[in-house]
Amino acid sequence: MGALDNLYCAARAYLASRPDCAAYMPTVTGASVPQPGAMSFAQSDCSDVVRHMDRVAKTACPATQPLVDQLLSARDAVAWFQVYKPDDLVGKGKIDRTAVSLLAGPGAAFEPEHGRMGFYFLRDGVEYAPHAHAPREIYAILSGTARYWNEVSGWSAYGAGDVIYTLEHRWHAMTTCNEPVLILWAWIGEDLNLVPVLWEEDQGSIPDGA
Ligand SMILES: [Fe+2]
């Protein structure tokens, strides 16, 4: 198997090891079904972001360390990109200090029909402004500590080994402080090809308490 196959298997195995992620498993283990019109993100140059990724090796936990190490070894085989455009009102550092990969889902190397899965790397000092989308989402924190907000629960801190759940169409946001954060993320549901709606387009600035 190649590096991506091994990484995909390891990512699925990590989700499978978490009973609270069981609902996501069928969506990221489906048969390969290419979809016409699948999202194809512009391949941004995220090399300046990805070269800072080594720091996440030090802030994993025992349960996440093997997957973190495997990603660090395979990072050059992974296509990293930026979801938003430079003039989007998406928050401090979101454009030039974060990188996303798409490991499974329509348009990815592995193509389940109703879900997406990938890695999300945020350097220190990022403010990801509130946004919302139709699919439900999990952020499985693999390394580092992030502050996460949603419109119901407000702000909380989450670290390696934690899993954050976001319901469909729910406003949510995230910040990093003085260390980078690595996340295994997954979407399930409909409208997988739509870029998230941004809060600042109709709600204003980031909520208090960040
Ligand atoms: Fe989200």
Side-chain angles (χ1 to χ4, degrees):
M1 291 206 300
L4 278 183
D5 298 86
N6 289 330
L7 196 56
Y8 180 40
C9 290
R12 284 185 307 169
Y14 180 72
L15 289 185
S17 74
R18 299 295 307 257
D20 42 7
C21 293
Y24 287 81
M25 291 310 298
T27 72
V28 294
T29 56
S32 178
V33 183
Q35 291 194 332
M39 176 189 280
S40 58
F41 291 107
Q43 292 299 306
S44 327
D45 180 5
C46 292
S47 54
D48 275 354
V49 180
V50 173
R51 69 187 175 85
H52 292 274
M53 199 174 286
D54 286 323
R55 289 179 63 192
V56 301
K58 298 187 178 72
T59 52
C61 68
T64 62
Q65 191 78 57
L67 182 56
V68 170
D69 291 343
Q70 191 165 344
L71 173 62
L72 290 174
S73 298
R75 82 185 98 169
D76 292 338
V78 173
W80 297 94
F81 58 89
Q82 173 54 250
V83 174
Y84 297 97
K85 298 187 290 297
D87 56 350
D88 287 339
L89 298 173
V90 73
K92 182 182 68 177
K94 178 71 178 86
I95 297 295
D96 59 353
R97 297 177 76 86
T98 71
V100 177
S101 75
L102 185 60
L103 193 56
F110 307 91
E111 302 203 40
E113 281 187 272
H114 300 294
R116 290 187 181 281
M117 178 176 70
F119 294 97
Y120 180 23
F121 174 63
L122 304 88
R123 292 187 59 192
D124 52 298
V126 171
E127 176 186 282
Y128 186 4
H131 58 283
H133 38 73
R136 284 183 286 153
E137 181 174 61
I138 55 171
Y139 286 159
I141 309 289
L142 301 179
S143 186
T145 301
R147 287 182 59 75
Y148 166 89
W149 171 91
N150 80 32
E151 60 184 303
V152 174
S153 62
W155 287 99
S156 298
Y158 295 89
D162 290 335
V163 180
I164 304 170
Y165 300 87
T166 302
L167 297 177
E168 52 268 53
H169 300 294
R170 186 68 51 85
W171 290 110
H172 57 291
M174 188 163 52
T175 65
T176 63
C177 187
N178 57 1
E179 63 182 18
V181 173
L182 181 65
I183 294 171
L184 175 63
W185 66 272
W187 275 7
I188 58 172
E190 305 302 320
D191 292 338
L192 295 170
N193 294 336
L194 298 182
V195 173
V197 177
L198 291 167
W199 168 282
E200 294 203 22
E201 292 171 353
D202 58 17
Q203 298 279 348
S205 59
I206 196 164
D208 291 337

